[in-house]
Amino acid sequence: YFILIRPQRREAAKHKAMVEALKRGDEVVTGGGIIGTVVHAESDRVTIKTAENTRLVVEKGRIAKVVSAKAEVT
């Protein structure tokens, strides 16, 4: 249990917390390797803008990592 299951649960919990904390302005990488900036975040989807000003709607669970988190300026 401690060798196999617990580390997987810990990683899953960290990923879930990261995904829930996504906000506008964060630079992210998707599971497919697409890099973009979060434009809009909903409960289960995120709209990201790529370098070519293309907007993509991605499931939150498919975000692999946050490259840089920027504070939202309002």
Side-chain angles (χ1 to χ4, degrees):
Y1 174 80
F2 290 107
I3 295 172
L4 299 174
I5 297 171
R6 191 155 187 238
Q8 288 176 345
R9 285 187 179 173
R10 191 177 306 141
E11 268 313 302
K14 283 175 42 180
H15 183 262
K16 184 178 178 182
M18 176 204 60
V19 166
E20 289 176 356
L22 284 175
K23 61 188 176 299
R24 186 174 184 201
D26 290 348
E27 188 174 353
V28 296
V29 178
T30 66
I34 298 171
I35 301 170
T37 304
V38 175
V39 176
H40 181 71
E42 296 177 13
S43 62
D44 62 339
R45 294 186 238 172
V46 176
T47 303
I48 61 173
K49 184 172 82 170
T50 64
E52 299 294 325
N53 290 327
T54 304
R55 291 177 187 246
L56 303 169
V57 178
V58 182
E59 287 183 351
K60 273 190 172 181
R62 300 296 177 204
I63 301 295
K65 67 178 179 176
V66 177
V67 178
S68 65
K70 296 183 180 178
E72 184 176 343
V73 178
T74 55

